[in-house]
Amino acid sequence: MTEKKTDDARVNRNPVVHNIGALQWDGERRGPELEDEEPDIKWCNRTKKWWKTWQESPQAMLMTDTDWEFMLETAFLHNLLWGWHMIVDKESGGFIDVPCDPKDAKSLAGEIRIRLEKMGATIKDRGSLGMRIQTSGADVVKEAEKATRSGVDYRKRLTGEDPQPL
């Protein structure tokens, strides 16, 4: 009978699963403010919202200074992907704002996905990390109400009751 290998002797055929366990989310906002960390950067609204989401996430309860630094680097990439960037217009010599180049967007999005996987961004990612998030019943109801309010009522839009364009 063969002996079971120690974790140090494994060769990734059966990778070690990190078992962080259950997080009892307290709903607090953590981490540095994006504008305080890099005040000279023009952060796009989508990146500001993304940063706030991470500050208010259960994962933030586990983050240390090095994790927030890693997230700040990821925020730079996120801002490049979603923000508009000032370049020199060759014809006029003035500055114009342009979105991210589609060729660059693909690699930026891939790098962001890889980085967020390490932080437990999706249910699958959290499962790989052995992370479970527990919330109180009141938190679940509050999140459901928030999602309902932010949703689009397509029935109203299709019947013309809601004048907002699709």
Side-chain angles (χ1 to χ4, degrees), residues 117-131:
E117 180 181 335
K118 296 173 189 303
M119 303 309 285
T122 67
I123 292 171
K124 182 179 179 200
D125 300 338
R126 290 188 292 277
S128 298
L129 295 169
M131 182 189 301

Side-chain angles (χ1 to χ4, degrees), residues 31-101:
E33 294 301 322
L34 195 57
E35 292 83 2
D36 294 343
E37 288 297 301
E38 291 295 333
D40 296 333
I41 302 284
K42 182 181 176 187
W43 298 103
C44 71
N45 288 335
R46 185 157 178 122
T47 299
K48 289 177 190 176
K49 183 179 177 189
W50 173 86
W51 185 262
K52 182 180 175 202
T53 299
W54 276 100
Q55 285 181 307
E56 296 173 351
S57 73
Q59 295 91 319
M61 293 170 47
L62 300 173
M63 290 188 195
T64 64
D65 289 344
T66 56
D67 297 319
W68 285 110
E69 189 63 32
F70 182 78
M71 290 301 286
L72 181 61
E73 292 170 3
T74 309
F76 283 121
L77 300 175
H78 191 277
N79 202 53
L80 286 172
L81 178 63
W82 290 104
W84 287 72
H85 311 285
M86 198 176 294
I87 64 167
V88 175
D89 183 22
K90 292 179 182 175
E91 292 179 16
S92 69
F95 292 100
I96 57 171
D97 284 332
V98 297
C100 180
D101 185 307

Side-chain angles (χ1 to χ4, degrees), residues 10-26:
R10 289 182 186 215
V11 183
N12 207 21
R13 279 193 8 226
N14 297 312
V16 177
V17 175
H18 304 283
N19 192 7
I20 293 171
L23 294 175
Q24 183 63 45
W25 184 42
D26 59 10

Side-chain angles (χ1 to χ4, degrees), residues 152-166:
V152 175
D153 188 341
Y154 289 104
R155 182 186 54 78
K156 284 185 177 181
R157 291 234 177 137
L158 291 172
T159 60
E161 295 174 43
D162 185 359
Q164 297 273 335
L166 289 174

